Amino acid sequence: MDQKAALAVFESLSSGVRLDVFRLLVKAGPPGLVAGEIAAALDIAPSSLSFHLRTLTQSGLLDVEQEGRFQRYRASLGVMAEVIGFLTENCCGGLPDGCPGSRDVVSRLPGCKDSACSEAAAER
């Protein structure tokens, strides 16, 4: 991940509502949630929520899939792993073996079982 992509991710998470949405979808795991479930869980008006979902989707943090007349949202755990990799790539002066526990930080992410997460963990 380059700095421009990381900045887009951080900017999209700078809103408390978007951070809550992303954390809720990380907790939901691979099944994700439809927009109505997110709105109900966080007590957010649907019109306001759609703006926040679009911002998170454009940054790459969410994946969206059309299911009939509903849209299902999922946290992109691969992008989350890339962000963690970006933040820790120079950990301990570029010698991750010198930092206890830093080597497998991505592989320990809850629910991080998709291929993008595995690839990001392997690169670390």
Side-chain angles (χ1 to χ4, degrees):
M1 172 170 280
D2 63 14
Q3 183 173 353
K4 184 176 178 181
L7 286 171
V9 167
F10 295 133
E11 184 176 325
S12 71
L13 291 174
S14 67
S15 157
V17 171
R18 290 191 292 269
L19 183 59
D20 288 345
V21 169
F22 184 71
R23 292 190 62 184
L24 177 67
L25 289 170
V26 168
K27 182 178 179 182
L33 297 169
V34 296
E37 293 171 322
I38 298 168
L42 298 176
D43 195 27
I44 300 172
S47 58
S48 176
L49 180 62
S50 65
F51 165 77
H52 293 296
L53 290 172
R54 183 174 44 255
T55 301
L56 288 165
T57 301
Q58 288 173 343
S59 73
L61 280 171
L62 298 186
D63 297 319
V64 61
E65 180 180 347
Q66 191 72 37
E67 290 183 358
R69 47 180 236 176
F70 300 103
Q71 291 187 314
R72 180 165 300 275
Y73 292 88
R74 294 176 179 88
S76 176
L77 299 178
V79 171
M80 186 172 70
E82 287 180 36
V83 170
I84 292 170
F86 173 80
L87 291 171
T88 60
E89 72 183 336
N90 295 318
C91 179
C92 300
L95 303 170
D97 290 337
C99 296
S102 68
R103 177 167 254 230
D104 63 343
V105 70
V106 172
S107 64
R108 294 182 313 191
L109 291 173
C112 191
K113 300 199 183 340
D114 67 18
S115 62
C117 281
S118 300
E119 290 169 13
E123 290 174 8
R124 302 284 311 136

